[in-house]
Amino acid sequence: MPIKLPSSLPAYKTLEGENIFVIDETRAIHQDIRPLKIAILNLMPTKITTETQLCRLLSNSSLQVDLTLLQTETHEATHTSAEHMKTFYQSFSDVKNDKYDGLVITGAPVEEIPFEKVDYWHELSDIMEWSKNHVYSTLHICWASQAALYYHYGINKYPLEKKLSGIYSHRVLDPSNPLVRGFDESFFAPHSRHTCVKKEDILACPELSLLTESDKAGVHIVASKDGRMIFVTGHSEYDYNTLDGEYRRDLARGLNPSLPENYYPDNNPQKKPPNVWRAHAHLLFTNWLNYFVYQQTPYDLNEIK
């Protein structure tokens, strides 16, 4: 699935250099197909890094993706230039009358703040409510998964004794679900968070299915039974060095962080960590796009209910 990006977006050159199939707008308009309209609400402070990570995963299939990058209006980005945000991002008010095949809502470093105290909570609530009848399937990542489970189903988050950071083994609980089609019975995924949701709360909700879990990291992938909402508590999109960057950032801040678990060879932060989750990350996003977006979304997006 080639992903259509502006040729001036930093992710374009990065992905092209990795032999990822990207096309610019000029070539895209000459392809006689309807592209999948996918929006990304990017709540991460490292906007460009997160854009690139998600574009990499959204591009690994067989149809064209037309991407819209969204930002909050009630919280101004401070780690990314205003010029970049103005050039490549839109706000909710710009798109609230549009409809999309899919929406991705990223994590955010606000887990330890009560949901209602997050400065853009009301705007995010409006977006999550809007997604129910303007988006066919929404994929929520890390904190966004907790926020959406709370907003849509009243499921609370709980603080962890210490930050969960590392690469953890997971198992598939429902291999019949198309979202985990092709997954190994045991697979790895990164986590980086201070809070969790409880398995018993998920199982008590008849509208939800728990698809994968980890002995150490707990609940991992949850899906609504109609496939319209997907919740992933980890960070499958992370690059091999993302946890390393977070660890060194926290060291520089004097936070005395623990080493990310199961990450550095021999627990030596001077050694390059291997990426042992890349294949399943691609498979997760490809399955979502194929089985929950492309196969299900009406050709005319106005028919989304």
Side-chain angles (χ1 to χ4, degrees):
M1 181 178 292
I3 186 166
K4 186 183 81 172
L5 300 175
S7 56
S8 56
L9 186 73
Y12 186 98
K13 290 185 178 179
T14 300
L15 298 180
E16 191 175 42
E18 296 176 8
N19 200 28
I20 301 292
F21 192 4
V22 292
I23 59 176
D24 61 26
E25 292 164 323
T26 302
R27 182 178 176 191
I29 62 175
H30 291 92
Q31 294 190 327
D32 190 20
I33 57 175
R34 182 178 85 71
L36 295 178
K37 289 185 63 178
I38 305 294
I40 296 175
L41 177 60
N42 191 352
L43 303 176
M44 292 289 278
T46 51
K47 305 291 186 192
I48 294 175
T49 298
T50 302
E51 294 158 16
T52 304
Q53 291 170 345
L54 291 174
C55 287
R56 181 182 293 117
L57 296 174
L58 290 169
S59 68
N60 195 31
S61 190
S62 57
L63 292 174
Q64 187 186 127
V65 171
D66 188 355
L67 190 67
T68 299
L69 295 173
L70 299 177
Q71 63 176 321
T72 55
E73 295 177 275
T74 45
H75 181 84
E76 184 177 349
T78 57
H79 293 77
T80 307
S81 72
E83 180 181 0
H84 181 87
M85 301 304 295
K86 182 179 179 180
T87 301
F88 298 112
Y89 279 75
Q90 299 183 63
S91 63
F92 176 52
S93 60
D94 296 323
V95 304
K96 64 182 180 181
N97 294 320
D98 298 337
K99 293 196 173 184
Y100 291 86
D101 298 285
L103 169 67
V104 179
I105 305 179
T106 74
V110 293
E111 304 155 59
E112 296 177 285
I113 304 173
F115 291 123
E116 291 84 354
K117 299 294 185 182
V118 174
D119 59 3
Y120 51 81
W121 177 252
H122 291 298
E123 182 180 4
L124 179 59
S125 297
D126 289 342
I127 293 171
M128 290 190 291
E129 185 65 28
W130 166 86
S131 73
K132 293 195 293 186
N133 52 28
H134 286 76
V135 178
Y136 195 81
S137 184
T138 302
L139 175 62
H140 310 82
I141 297 173
C142 198
W143 177 79
S145 70
Q146 297 179 3
L149 286 167
Y150 176 74
Y151 178 80
H152 293 295
Y153 302 101
I155 293 174
N156 288 311
K157 64 177 180 178
Y158 298 89
L160 297 169
E161 291 184 5
K162 66 174 185 176
K163 182 179 181 180
L164 182 76
S165 176
I167 311 302
Y168 302 97
S169 177
H170 299 71
R171 59 182 170 273
V172 174
L173 300 178
D174 183 8
S176 67
N177 191 290
L179 191 65
V180 293
R181 184 168 290 165
F183 274 40
D184 293 329
E185 292 180 3
S186 176
F187 65 96
F188 295 100
H191 288 261
S192 178
R193 50 188 166 85
H194 296 270
T195 54
C196 69
V197 293
K198 293 184 177 180
K199 179 178 180 178
E200 53 264 36
D201 293 341
I202 301 298
L203 297 180
C205 182
E207 299 173 69
L208 298 174
S209 296
L210 178 60
L211 304 184
T212 66
E213 68 174 352
S214 165
D215 288 337
K216 183 65 183 287
V219 171
H220 179 227
I221 301 177
V222 178
S224 63
K225 290 185 177 176
D226 62 3
R228 298 290 293 272
M229 296 184 193
I230 309 296
F231 312 90
V232 182
T233 66
H235 279 288
S236 297
E237 79 282 1
Y238 269 11
D239 294 321
Y240 81 91
N241 59 352
T242 304
L243 288 176
D244 175 69
E246 293 180 353
Y247 171 70
R248 297 183 189 282
R249 175 202 64 197
D250 291 348
L251 271 180
R253 292 175 176 174
L255 299 179
N256 193 29
S258 300
L259 284 174
E261 295 183 279
N262 313 311
Y263 182 57
Y264 296 112
D266 304 318
N267 277 335
N268 182 349
Q270 303 308 314
K271 293 185 176 182
K272 178 181 176 181
N275 188 323
V276 295
W277 63 91
R278 182 187 295 114
H280 278 85
H282 279 280
L283 191 53
L284 170 63
F285 276 74
T286 299
N287 284 349
W288 175 63
L289 283 175
N290 185 33
Y291 300 116
F292 293 84
V293 181
Y294 172 64
Q295 299 290 347
Q296 302 294 331
T297 311
Y299 187 87
D300 183 353
L301 288 175
N302 291 317
E303 295 178 9
I304 290 178
K305 298 179 182 180

